[in-house]
């Protein structure tokens, strides 16, 4: 959706620049350019950055803001229809499973089912 929104904002900005007189270009045109750049940037970040990783006994969610939980500190794992909520002492990590491809989701489900929770 971010790619589509970015392309639409880009088209609007380009059409506005091409078909308006140079003296009539307003701040709104620059707003459309900024929106296009932001949406396209968000698309490329989501497309080429891993949503989450599990390395060195740490679960890390990298998008949108990086958050980390050590596996040995996990006290509770709640499973929902479209994700997980992993809870430790003072930290909560929400994982949206719709952002994970099918093969990796099977691996994640198996991994989370095998975790020994901290008492």
């Amino acid at each position: 959706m971010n790619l589509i929104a970015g392309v639409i904002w880009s088209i609007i900005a380009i059409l506005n620049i091409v078909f308006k007189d140079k003296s009539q270009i307003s701040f709104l045109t620059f707003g459309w350019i900024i929106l296009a750049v932001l949406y396209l940037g968000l698309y490329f970040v989501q497309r080429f950055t891993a949503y989450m990783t599990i390395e060195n006994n740490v679960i890390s969610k990298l998008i949108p803001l990086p958050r980390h939980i050590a596996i040995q500190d996990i006290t509770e794992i709640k499973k929902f229809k479209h994700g997980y909520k992993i809870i430790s002492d003072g930290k909560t990590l929400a994982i949206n499973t719709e952002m994970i491809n099918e093969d990796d989701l099977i691996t994640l489900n198996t991994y989370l089912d095998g975790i020994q929770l901290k008492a």
Side-chain angles (χ1 to χ4, degrees), residues 6 13 21 31 33 35 40 43 50 55 59 61-62 67 72-73 76-78 90 96 98-100 103-104 113 116:
D21 207 9
I33 293 170
L35 281 173
L40 290 173
Y43 165 75
E55 293 177 336
I59 297 177
K61 178 179 163 186
L62 305 173
R67 295 184 56 95
Q72 66 269 17
D73 295 338
E76 187 175 3
I77 299 175
K78 295 181 181 180
N96 182 355
E98 292 178 339
M99 300 284 288
I100 301 171
D103 295 333
D104 292 337
D113 288 341
Q116 298 293 324

Side-chain angles (χ1 to χ4, degrees), residues 12-119:
I12 290 171
I14 291 168
L15 290 175
N16 198 357
I17 291 170
V18 169
F19 291 114
K20 282 207 173 180
D21 207 9
K22 295 294 181 201
S23 62
Q24 294 179 349
I25 293 177
S26 65
F27 287 109
L28 188 57
T29 303
F30 294 110
W32 287 327
I33 293 170
I34 290 169
L35 281 173
V37 168
L38 289 175
Y39 274 103
L40 290 173
L42 183 59
Y43 165 75
F44 284 109
V45 166
Q46 288 177 340
R47 176 76 172 103
F48 296 109
T49 302
Y51 175 70
M52 67 169 290
T53 61
I54 301 173
E55 293 177 336
N56 301 324
N57 292 324
V58 175
I59 297 177
S60 301
K61 178 179 163 186
L62 305 173
I63 297 176
L65 298 174
R67 295 184 56 95
H68 313 282
I69 292 182
I71 292 172
Q72 66 269 17
D73 295 338
I74 296 174
T75 57
E76 187 175 3
I77 299 175
K78 295 181 181 180
K79 186 172 183 174
F80 299 101
K81 183 177 181 183
H82 297 290
Y84 286 99
K85 188 175 278 192
I86 300 173
I87 301 168
S88 72
D89 299 327
K91 287 187 179 181
T92 302
L93 182 68
I95 298 173
N96 182 355
T97 54
E98 292 178 339
M99 300 284 288
I100 301 171
N101 69 41
E102 294 294 324
D103 295 333
D104 292 337
L105 183 58
I106 292 169
T107 305
L108 176 66
N109 290 334
T110 304
Y111 186 81
L112 291 177
D113 288 341
I115 289 178
Q116 298 293 324
L117 300 178
K118 181 179 174 183

